[in-house]
Amino acid sequence: MYQLSYSSKAIQDISEEVISGILETSRERNEAIGVTGCLVFHKLSFVQIIEGEKSHIQSLFEEIRQDKRHRDVTLLWEGKNNGRNFGDWNMAYFTESDERFDGGEMKNFERNLLLLSELSAGSTAVLNMFWISVRKLISGEVI
């Protein structure tokens, strides 16, 4: 099993429909090639970890790098793992334009992501780097 984690910045005018499209396309394509992972979209930034066969991961990452819906794609970490950390494709995102923004839902969203990061601590270097980057994203630090 091979894992790779990266971060990037969304283009300024990205819409919720585009994000939903990314999720739908990713689920279909990745299921067909045996790739799983987790994509977090928050504060106009992406942090993602993908896992699967090395050739598939490297090919997929090259496509991701070329995608015009984001910029500043930065490889955080890559390497081998004994098994999968994400059995299903997952995506977490929260839109600040959502009516839930004023009701504290964003804080709940962020707390849930932080809890997941704590539960996964110590698994693999790639997974640790993914969750460190998610925590930085939530706190407003530069990834």
Side-chain angles (χ1 to χ4, degrees):
M1 189 65 48
Y2 197 76
Q3 293 179 315
L4 181 146
S5 183
Y6 74 91
S7 66
S8 66
K9 303 286 184 200
I11 58 171
Q12 285 292 20
D13 60 351
I14 199 161
S15 68
E16 191 168 344
E17 291 79 26
V18 170
I19 301 299
S20 294
I22 291 170
L23 174 60
E24 187 176 321
T25 302
S26 298
R27 281 183 173 160
E28 292 171 6
R29 181 189 53 209
N30 294 340
E31 183 177 352
I33 62 172
V35 171
T36 57
C38 183
L39 173 62
V40 174
F41 176 67
H42 187 51
K43 297 180 181 177
L44 291 175
S45 294
F46 296 97
V47 179
Q48 184 173 34
I49 184 169
I50 49 179
E51 54 192 13
E53 185 180 313
K54 184 176 182 178
S55 63
H56 289 148
I57 297 302
Q58 290 178 327
S59 176
L60 181 57
F61 185 58
E62 190 54 40
E63 288 178 34
I64 289 167
R65 287 181 133 154
Q66 303 301 318
D67 193 321
K68 301 297 182 204
R69 296 172 290 191
H70 63 160
R71 59 184 170 75
D72 301 332
V73 178
T74 303
L75 177 65
L76 300 172
W77 197 270
E78 63 182 317
K80 292 181 182 180
N81 187 30
N82 292 331
R84 292 187 188 274
N85 292 113
F86 300 93
D88 295 315
W89 185 259
N90 295 290
M91 181 174 176
Y93 72 99
F94 188 94
T95 58
E96 294 181 11
S97 62
D98 196 314
E99 62 274 2
R100 299 175 299 167
F101 181 69
D102 291 331
E105 290 292 321
M106 185 194 292
K107 290 295 177 197
N108 286 337
F109 173 79
E110 292 174 342
R111 276 193 293 269
N112 287 338
L113 284 175
L114 291 172
L115 178 61
L116 282 172
S117 75
E118 291 171 16
L119 293 172
S120 300
S123 297
T124 65
V126 177
L127 190 60
N128 286 338
M129 195 64 195
F130 169 75
W131 287 118
I132 287 168
S133 299
V134 170
R135 288 191 297 271
K136 284 183 176 183
L137 177 62
I138 290 169
S139 70
E141 292 179 54
V142 176
I143 300 175

